Amino acid sequence: MMKTPSGVGRAALIGAGPGDAELITLKGARLLGQADAVVYDNLVGPGILDLARPGAERVFVGKTAGRHSLPQEDICHLLVDKAREGKFVARLKGGDPFVFGRGGEELEALRAAGIDVEIVPGVTAALGAAASFGFPLTHRDHAQSCVFATGHLKDRRVDLDWTALARPGQTVVIYMGVAGLDAISARLQAAGMPGDTPAALIHRATWPSQRAYPGTLATLPEIAGKNQLRPPALIVIGGVAGLLRREGK
Ligand code: SAH
């Protein structure tokens, strides 16, 4: 691939945090304020784009009604092209760029094109949810470990190490699991996790519209159906989900 001459363009992968604009880091906000172009999607919370320069170009690459988000490959090309125009490109990503955010692919594409990339971590959705609804992910009475897993469907199936996830004394947080919730609930129970294990669905943590739906491993699918739950939402499973304060903050 063609090497970009040094001094031509650069990029930052910036974690925007889970939604609340005050949860972006100082570094993220500073770099966002310096960027010439900002590439963002649906998971970036309200007000965060206001931190960009008024004159900065804003490029939305997420889903709109009736249209899919831009394919990942096209997003990678776009970032490289903008940087090659000599711009400082901020790629704003919900939560943390490296937690199920495909930031790794964007980093590789930019690096392969010889573009300097800075990475700014962000508050991932699980941490935002725990803070907003007041349940410590590793409360010592309930969990000695905490696992983040993806519930994303591959060929209509969720493929995870169910035995490992079903272990006691663990908090399991599943990202992108709404569509696969029935399978997730059934497979964890089949792997030995009791159906009455506390669990919760958390929609848009830290956004003004945030909501938590507490239940149990066995009841979550029904709760999701009744409430017509749509992404983005997290599935939290384990004793700590029983500590959740439903009203949120
Ligand atoms: N990089 C992001 C995750 C991207 S994957 C992060 O670190 O948070 C997208 C998934 O993240 C969504 O399907 C949902 O499961 C979860 N998610 C992101 N923001 C969320 C929020 N505010 N509340 C609940 N879930 C969220």
Side-chain angles (χ1 to χ4, degrees):
M1 203 174 272
M2 202 178 80
K3 188 98 173 131
T4 304
S6 59
V8 175
R10 62 189 176 108
L13 296 180
I14 302 174
D20 179 351
E22 289 192 19
L23 291 176
I24 191 170
T25 62
L26 290 175
K27 188 170 190 172
R30 176 174 60 79
L31 292 177
L32 186 54
Q34 293 170 353
D36 302 305
V38 180
V39 178
Y40 68 102
D41 51 50
N42 309 67
L43 288 176
V44 171
I48 293 180
L49 278 178
D50 298 346
L51 300 170
R53 280 195 299 116
E57 182 183 355
R58 289 162 168 76
V59 188
F60 178 71
V61 294
K63 277 183 200 147
T64 48
R67 193 178 68 85
H68 283 293
S69 49
L70 211 60
Q72 187 60 48
E73 213 183 75
D74 295 358
I75 298 176
C76 291
H77 281 306
L78 178 78
L79 297 175
V80 170
D81 289 349
K82 294 279 170 213
R84 282 192 170 145
E85 288 169 17
K87 293 179 173 153
F88 174 31
V89 186
R91 169 59 165 133
L92 247 191
K93 299 180 75 74
D96 180 87
F98 286 171
V99 178
F100 305 125
R102 305 193 71 173
E105 287 152 74
E106 295 172 8
L107 176 66
E108 282 161 20
L110 286 159
R111 283 204 175 140
I115 293 156
D116 265 353
V117 188
E118 186 161 0
I119 295 136
V120 185
V123 175
T124 190
L127 304 184
S132 276
F133 292 97
F135 59 98
L137 287 170
T138 61
H139 191 296
R140 59 181 291 164
D141 293 344
H142 300 279
Q144 286 67 54
S145 62
C146 173
V147 180
F148 295 167
T150 169
H152 191 71
L153 301 171
K154 269 191 236 146
D155 307 325
R156 297 178 162 270
R157 291 183 42 208
V158 191
D159 222 0
L160 291 169
D161 183 344
W162 302 108
T163 311
L165 293 180
R167 281 194 195 119
Q170 182 165 266
T171 303
V172 178
V173 183
I174 301 182
Y175 288 65
M176 294 177 283
V178 173
L181 181 57
D182 289 7
I184 290 166
S185 170
R187 298 295 296 268
L188 283 174
Q189 290 179 77
M193 191 184 265
D196 63 0
T197 303
L201 297 162
I202 298 173
H203 184 250
R204 284 203 193 276
T206 82
W207 289 61
S209 59
Q210 70 173 358
R211 283 204 66 176
Y213 303 92
T216 65
L217 177 62
T219 61
L220 283 193
E222 192 192 326
I223 292 171
K226 264 197 197 141
N227 293 284
Q228 300 190 0
L229 188 82
R230 300 270 172 273
L234 293 172
I235 307 169
V236 180
I237 308 160
V240 301
L243 306 174
L244 181 149
R245 286 174 20 262
R246 196 179 183 144
E247 64 278 13
K249 262 225 165 142

